[in-house]
Amino acid sequence: MTQDDNQGAQTPQEPPKRGTMRFQDGSTQARQPSLAEQRARQQALAEQERQEALQAEQARAAEKKSSTKKKLLIGTGVTVGLVGLVATFYTVAKPENVTATCVRDDIVDNDQNCDENYVRSHGGHVSGGFFFIPIPGGGYNSYRYNYGGTGAIGQRVSGGSYTAPSNANVSTKSGKSVQRGGFGISGKSGTSGGTGKSGGS
């Protein structure tokens, strides 16, 4: 019975071994990439090169555009500056039209009393921008031009100046030219400007 018992008992089996990792030694060669892997790698490299070339081209185009824009702005600025300078020159150089009014003691009088030919033909004379016309009984009435003032004969002149303007075409109300102006150069005649007192009595 003892023998039977011994025969019936089996020795326990060892548990199965789990998988083990094998390490490559230095003599093992790496697996060559497959054709599909080689193609994928080449395509990736080609795409990368294409992207780099595209970015470089875009950078060149942006730089060229910026340079052209800068040149255009500089050119436009120079053109605008020149146009402004020429416009300013012509604005300054273009003579304005001013009306000269003959006055005696600030009262508007007849234009002929400030006409040198008329004054001399009536025994008068011209000096320092004043026109002196003799009056019966002795003495003189003095007349001069007011430039830019207004008023009717017999009224006090309003505004204006007794100094002849530079760079202006000056004429009387009747249209007689007193002074021709141009390009900032005064064309004052001997019959304009000046100060003085009336010699009339």
Side-chain angles (χ1 to χ4, degrees):
M1 188 176 271
T2 306
Q3 269 186 338
D4 289 340
D5 289 339
N6 287 339
Q7 285 178 354
Q10 295 179 355
T11 57
Q13 295 180 350
E14 293 182 7
K17 291 185 177 179
R18 299 187 180 208
T20 57
M21 185 182 293
R22 293 186 302 170
F23 294 95
Q24 282 186 329
D25 59 13
S27 62
T28 307
Q29 293 185 351
R31 178 179 66 84
Q32 292 295 325
S34 66
L35 286 175
E37 289 174 335
Q38 289 178 9
R39 268 196 226 104
R41 192 174 297 168
Q42 288 172 353
Q43 286 177 353
L45 287 172
E47 178 66 19
Q48 184 179 352
E49 288 176 1
R50 191 180 72 80
Q51 288 294 336
E52 288 175 357
L54 183 63
Q55 288 174 359
E57 183 63 31
Q58 288 174 344
R60 280 194 297 273
E63 186 177 347
K64 185 177 179 183
K65 185 177 179 182
S66 175
S67 176
T68 304
K69 187 176 181 182
K70 194 178 292 181
K71 287 178 185 174
L72 183 64
L73 286 174
I74 291 170
T76 304
V78 170
T79 303
V80 169
L82 286 175
V83 169
L85 184 63
V86 171
T88 302
F89 172 76
Y90 278 109
T91 300
V92 171
K94 183 181 178 183
E96 59 177 324
N97 296 316
V98 176
T99 302
T101 304
C102 187
V103 299
R104 180 170 73 92
D105 296 330
D106 294 333
I107 303 300
V108 178
D109 212 309
N110 198 311
D111 283 345
Q112 68 181 7
N113 293 327
C114 291
D115 184 316
E116 187 172 352
N117 293 330
Y118 176 83
V119 171
R120 291 191 191 283
S121 69
H122 284 75
H125 65 277
V126 179
S127 176
F130 282 81
F131 304 86
F132 298 98
I133 299 177
I135 55 176
Y140 293 87
N141 281 330
S142 67
Y143 303 86
R144 62 178 172 165
Y145 279 124
N146 175 284
Y147 302 94
T150 57
I153 293 176
Q155 294 180 343
R156 182 172 292 277
V157 70
S158 174
S161 169
Y162 289 103
T163 302
S166 61
N167 187 33
N169 292 323
V170 182
S171 58
T172 63
K173 292 178 185 175
S174 60
K176 180 191 174 209
S177 178
V178 175
Q179 172 181 300
R180 298 291 294 275
F183 297 98
I185 301 170
S186 173
K188 295 179 185 177
S189 68
T191 61
S192 61
T195 57
K197 295 182 180 178
S198 173
S201 57

